[in-house]
């Protein structure tokens, strides 16, 4: 093969590798301001295990019809407990190994929640409302970030504080949240991995 052709093949392969290192997920939500959406850009090199689990959950429709249940405007917004107790139970033991922290927990960066135990990440996520660099040394590894003006939507999420009981969400699901909070909680309607040709509108 001529050297020029070989270089062309190598360039195409490198382009493919670079392109496959990122993907975007659209969140269609309902906040205090009504329907809206935001996009999370995921960089697989930041936290490979976290990025892979996030994609797995989105493709399984795990986050669809779930609620934002922990909202602290001076800290972060948390979500990722299924509205269906059977689904929560099925994922409870599916932990993933910790990733090294390569990026800081800046405003808009997205990170898996975890317990104090090693390798305890499962499904819960949070979006940083402020610069939470102090979380870096605690092992919280961001895997993506909210793009463009998406944080304007994220900041419209209903401030429920820490009132919802996470244990009850796991055992009773949306029926508990909708009954006890009167439909006030902001919710995720649907999520999807965006096809490559839809990425450009968010650049």
């Amino acid at each position: 093969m001529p050297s020029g052709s070989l270089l062309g093949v190598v360039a195409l392969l490198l382009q493919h590798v670079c392109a496959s290192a990122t993907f975007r997920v659209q969140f269609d939500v309902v906040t205090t301001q009504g329907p809206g959406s935001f996009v999370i850009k995921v960089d697989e090199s930041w936290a490979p295990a976290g990025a892979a689990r996030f994609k797995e959950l989105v493709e399984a429709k795990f986050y669809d019809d779930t609620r934002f249940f922990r909202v602290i405007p001076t800290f972060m917004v948390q979500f990722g407990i299924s509205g269906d107790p059977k689904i929560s139970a099925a994922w409870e033991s599916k932990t993933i190994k910790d990733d090294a922290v390569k990026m800081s927990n800046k405003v808009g960066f997205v990170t898996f929640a975890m317990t104090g135990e090693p390798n305890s990440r499962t499904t819960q996520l949070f979006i940083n409302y402020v610069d939470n660099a102090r979380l870096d040394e605690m092992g919280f590894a961001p895997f993506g970030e909210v793009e463009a003006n998406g944080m304007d939507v994220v900041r419209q999420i209903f401030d429920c504080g820490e009132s919802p009981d996470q244990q009850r969400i796991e055992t009773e699901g949306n029926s508990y949240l909708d009954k006890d909070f009167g439909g006030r909680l902001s919710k995720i309607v649907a999520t999807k991995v965006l096809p490559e040709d839809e990425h450009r509108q968010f650049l």
Side-chain angles (χ1 to χ4, degrees), residues 40-95:
I40 294 175
K41 178 184 177 182
V42 178
D43 190 322
E44 297 173 348
S45 68
W46 291 4
R53 169 52 60 87
F54 178 58
K55 190 172 190 178
E56 178 186 14
L57 289 163
V58 171
E59 292 178 336
K61 303 297 182 183
F62 179 90
Y63 296 112
D64 294 11
D65 193 27
T66 61
R67 310 292 186 263
F68 295 97
F69 58 81
R70 187 179 180 216
V71 183
I72 306 174
T74 57
F75 183 27
M76 52 91 235
V77 54
Q78 190 167 334
F79 60 98
I81 299 178
S82 176
D84 183 337
K86 292 181 180 178
I87 294 177
S88 288
W91 283 89
E92 185 178 7
S93 62
K94 296 181 180 181
T95 57

Side-chain angles (χ1 to χ4, degrees), residues 152-179:
D152 292 343
V153 177
V154 175
R155 293 187 188 282
Q156 294 168 356
I157 292 170
F158 177 72
D159 180 4
C160 62
E162 299 184 82
S163 297
D165 184 321
Q166 294 187 36
Q167 189 62 44
R168 288 192 66 184
I169 304 173
E170 292 176 352
T171 57
E172 301 175 48
N174 285 342
S175 61
Y176 152 63
L177 292 174
D178 294 345
K179 178 182 177 182

Side-chain angles (χ1 to χ4, degrees), residues 87-163:
I87 294 177
S88 288
W91 283 89
E92 185 178 7
S93 62
K94 296 181 180 181
T95 57
I96 58 174
K97 291 186 177 181
D98 293 336
D99 283 303
V101 179
K102 298 179 181 178
M103 303 296 292
S104 184
N105 281 274
K106 300 176 183 178
V107 177
F109 278 42
V110 188
T111 307
F112 270 92
M114 59 186 187
T115 68
E117 298 297 320
N119 307 316
S120 59
R121 297 178 299 171
T122 52
T123 63
Q124 292 193 41
L125 306 173
F126 64 88
I127 301 172
N128 289 287
Y129 271 145
V130 298
D131 186 343
N132 289 313
R134 60 188 176 82
L135 298 178
D136 303 348
E137 62 183 25
M138 299 167 65
F140 290 93
F143 62 84
E145 63 180 315
V146 176
E147 282 201 310
N149 62 349
M151 283 304 291
D152 292 343
V153 177
V154 175
R155 293 187 188 282
Q156 294 168 356
I157 292 170
F158 177 72
D159 180 4
C160 62
E162 299 184 82
S163 297

